[in-house]
Amino acid sequence: MDILGATLRVCVDDLETAVPFYERLAGGPALRFERGGVQVAAVGCFLLMSGPEAELEILRKVAATIAVKDVDEAHQVLTELGAHIVAGPVGTPGGRNLIAVHPDGVVYEYVDRRT
């Protein structure tokens, strides 16, 4: 499985206030979308999220988003290594993802850019 990078997940109270700071910090514009009632802005290595507290509470349980070449391959490797797949693979605005709990109990999202 090829790991291409990781994204830091940041829950913010006000996305409109946070985005300019992170755009300047990362040196580029935010890619914005909405998912499940949560407003999201991807800026460099940061994934900013804002929305209903009930949704954010769930999202905070995911330690990081890990970009991989192929989510199906990640699914196979993670399963072989004893991870528990709790969701996915499913399509997202930017590709596909899955949520896995590693044997140590840490929760990660794995994403690819495939459609």
Side-chain angles (χ1 to χ4, degrees):
M1 169 175 66
D2 293 332
I3 294 178
L4 307 175
T7 301
L8 304 169
R9 300 165 65 91
V10 182
C11 294
V12 298
D13 292 330
D14 183 353
L15 195 65
E16 296 309 314
T17 300
V19 164
F21 172 84
Y22 284 94
E23 286 178 328
R24 182 105 188 256
L25 182 66
L31 170 64
R32 296 175 183 238
F33 57 94
E34 180 181 338
R35 183 149 186 214
V38 174
Q39 297 296 317
V40 180
V43 189
C45 66
F46 301 98
L47 188 64
L48 309 175
M49 300 172 286
S50 183
E53 186 54 40
E55 295 295 325
L56 294 179
E57 182 179 339
I58 295 166
L59 295 171
R60 283 186 183 101
K61 294 178 181 179
V62 179
T65 298
I66 299 171
V68 294
K69 189 172 185 179
D70 183 350
V71 163
D72 292 326
E73 181 184 3
H75 184 281
Q76 178 182 345
V77 170
L78 289 162
T79 301
E80 289 171 1
L81 293 173
H84 175 66
I85 309 303
V86 295
V90 297
T92 72
R96 296 174 310 138
N97 79 341
L98 65 80
I99 305 293
V101 180
H102 289 190
D104 59 10
V106 181
V107 180
Y108 293 94
E109 175 187 34
Y110 288 82
V111 300
D112 67 22
R113 301 261 182 209
R114 295 174 57 187
T115 55

